[in-house]
Amino acid sequence: MRGLKKVMKKGLGEMSFNMGGGVINWFPGHMAAATRAIRDRLKVSDLVIEVRDARIPLSSANEDLQSMLSGKRRIIALNKKDLANPNIMPKWIRHFESCNQDCITINAHSTSSVNKLVELVELKLKEVISREPTLLVMVVGVPNVGKSALINNVHKIAATRFPAQDKLKRATVGPLPGVTQDIAGYKIAHKPSIYVLDTPGVLVPSIPDIETGLKLALSGSVKDSVVGEERIAQYLLALLNTRGTPLHWRNMGRRLQKSPKEETAKPKYNVKDLLKPQRKPLDQTDVYYVEDIVMKVQNTLNTTLSEFDGDLDNEADLEILIERQFEELQSSLKIGPQRTASEARTMVAKKLITLFRSGKLGPFILDDVP
């Protein structure tokens, strides 16, 4: 194989398969109303927690709100740190600190992680607690960055630390962007009374930069149907290839020692059989299956990139490589030949996106440190 040229930083949003899809915009009616309501409530909030995706610390900022947020007490919470490259996160913290901006990395599903954020919120509010009987903390962010999951964990912490009189409500959490469509207030503490406002995820009416839109789509902040799964997967493969990521997987794979699933005798009668069927928890066989799929995908991308004799900086060559990877991934992802070419490509795209969003392909940060 010819030696791969040094990977160049380039605007992947300018590639033909992205340009053909046009600028990415997703601004349903509820976002316009929510944006107006958020602006009104920001005026009276004592502190703002701006939740961003740790994989896209800049791209996940709502630019239309930044002018107002910059004038408030604000904490930038980089959520989903478990999916971001831990070697690069300290550089992002230093970047925000250099801008005199409080920033903390969190995992909204980890109580210990969220507790550190709560402590930082209390520290930031300490100077006004003695003067104000009621304090308002507002949580904002683009869709699907984990705001509602964060608030639910804040409630759990608050319930153990403060004698709340009212029953604490839970925010609705879902895997799709746009779940929360109303602004709801939750009382989390007394003396002083502290209220947390959960807000809908809102984007700007128009995302002028194509690559920013693609990063938001890949991270799940824009509905897949708006952009198209195939286009999102093409962008992901372009990123992986130009960064040389699959080459680092060469020595990471390990041979899986599979063991047949043990059969257990089923009792003739079980009360649980009368209950509503629940999703079966993953057993060791399922885990091996997922690991096997991930390893095959990594090997496929590594092999196709290693054998690539084109120029990664040439858009036409890169697109040829991506097309080959789409074809090879059909086998790796166990997509049968009975599928039409269109169906197979869609299935490859959906499964590849799922592996990325779940962190199975490894931790990534899509934005470059300024």
Side-chain angles (χ1 to χ4, degrees):
M1 180 193 78
R2 279 194 300 157
L4 288 174
K5 292 181 63 178
K6 182 179 180 180
V7 176
M8 302 290 291
K9 296 292 183 183
K10 61 184 299 182
L12 296 175
E14 298 176 0
M15 293 186 65
S16 60
F17 61 76
N18 290 327
M19 293 296 291
V23 175
I24 298 170
N25 292 320
W26 183 48
F27 198 70
H30 79 270
M31 282 193 189
T35 299
R36 291 191 296 270
I38 289 172
R39 288 180 179 275
D40 289 340
R41 286 162 177 76
L42 276 175
K43 297 175 184 177
V44 297
S45 62
D46 297 286
L47 184 142
V48 178
I49 299 174
E50 183 187 5
V51 185
R52 299 188 189 182
D53 191 318
R55 297 167 296 181
I56 46 175
L58 294 182
S59 298
S60 56
N62 185 318
E63 291 299 329
D64 282 1
L65 296 178
Q66 292 307 304
S67 60
M68 292 193 68
L69 294 177
S70 61
K72 308 290 297 185
R73 291 184 187 85
R74 173 175 60 164
I75 297 173
I76 294 179
L78 298 179
N79 188 31
K80 304 184 182 182
K81 69 175 185 178
D82 53 312
L83 301 179
N85 189 327
N87 297 322
I88 303 178
M89 288 313 301
K91 296 180 181 179
W92 278 105
I93 297 296
R94 290 195 293 271
H95 163 71
F96 286 111
E97 288 178 346
S98 69
C99 300
N100 296 318
Q101 175 59 63
D102 290 293
C103 179
I104 184 173
T105 59
I106 65 168
N107 176 353
H109 296 284
S110 167
T111 301
S112 61
S113 179
V114 175
N115 192 58
K116 294 179 181 178
L117 173 61
V118 172
E119 292 173 353
L120 182 57
V121 168
E122 290 181 324
L123 179 63
K124 296 293 291 182
L125 287 177
K126 190 174 183 180
E127 59 189 59
V128 294
I129 281 180
S130 59
R131 302 194 306 266
E132 299 290 339
T134 301
L135 299 174
L136 182 63
V137 177
M138 197 165 185
V139 181
V140 300
V142 300
N144 206 31
V145 289
K147 299 183 303 299
S148 296
L150 168 63
I151 286 183
N152 285 337
N153 225 331
V154 168
H155 287 175
K156 292 179 182 178
I157 296 170
T160 63
R161 298 175 60 183
F162 303 105
Q165 295 177 353
D166 301 324
K167 183 178 180 181
L168 298 177
K169 299 180 180 179
R170 292 179 60 84
T172 302
V173 178
L176 300 177
V179 171
T180 304
Q181 297 190 1
D182 296 305
I183 293 181
Y186 304 92
K187 191 173 186 178
I188 64 169
H190 296 280
K191 298 180 181 180
S193 295
I194 300 179
Y195 289 85
V196 174
L197 290 187
D198 182 24
T199 62
V202 293
L203 294 167
V204 295
S206 177
I207 306 172
D209 180 65
I210 290 179
E211 192 163 1
T212 296
L214 288 168
K215 289 176 181 178
L216 288 166
L218 178 57
S219 301
S221 291
V222 177
K223 281 187 177 180
D224 291 347
S225 58
V226 173
V227 183
E229 289 91 348
E230 186 174 331
R231 185 183 178 195
I232 297 173
Q234 287 173 319
Y235 178 66
L236 171 60
L237 289 174
L239 279 174
L240 294 176
N241 290 322
T242 56
R243 293 185 176 189
T245 302
L247 300 181
H248 299 298
W249 292 336
R250 181 178 296 135
N251 300 318
M252 291 176 59
R254 62 182 179 83
R255 187 175 300 277
L256 299 175
Q257 302 296 327
K258 295 185 179 180
S259 57
K261 187 175 181 179
E262 295 183 1
E263 295 292 336
T264 56
K266 186 176 181 180
K268 295 182 179 179
Y269 174 78
N270 192 328
V271 176
K272 293 183 178 179
D273 294 336
L274 303 179
L275 302 178
K276 183 178 179 180
Q278 301 291 324
R279 178 178 294 181
K280 186 182 69 172
L282 291 177
D283 60 19
Q284 195 61 32
T285 303
D286 297 319
V287 173
Y288 277 127
Y289 175 80
V290 174
E291 290 184 350
D292 188 37
I293 291 292
V294 172
M295 188 173 67
K296 287 181 178 179
V297 168
Q298 291 178 332
N299 287 340
T300 296
L301 297 182
N302 170 261
T303 300
T304 51
L305 180 56
S306 298
E307 296 175 351
F308 174 65
D309 60 358
D311 183 355
L312 283 174
D313 296 324
N314 182 289
E315 293 180 5
D317 285 358
L318 181 55
E319 288 178 355
I320 291 174
L321 171 61
I322 291 173
E323 285 302 306
R324 182 190 171 193
Q325 289 174 330
F326 257 94
E327 295 173 358
E328 296 292 333
L329 284 171
Q330 291 183 31
S331 173
S332 303
L333 293 169
K334 302 185 183 299
I335 298 174
Q338 72 275 14
R339 303 285 183 178
T340 66
S342 177
E343 289 175 338
R345 287 180 68 86
T346 299
M347 292 181 69
V348 167
K350 288 183 176 180
K351 291 187 177 185
L352 194 61
I353 293 169
T354 298
L355 289 177
F356 170 80
R357 290 176 181 167
S358 63
K360 298 298 183 182
L361 294 181
F364 289 95
I365 292 184
L366 306 180
D367 282 341
D368 296 322
V369 181

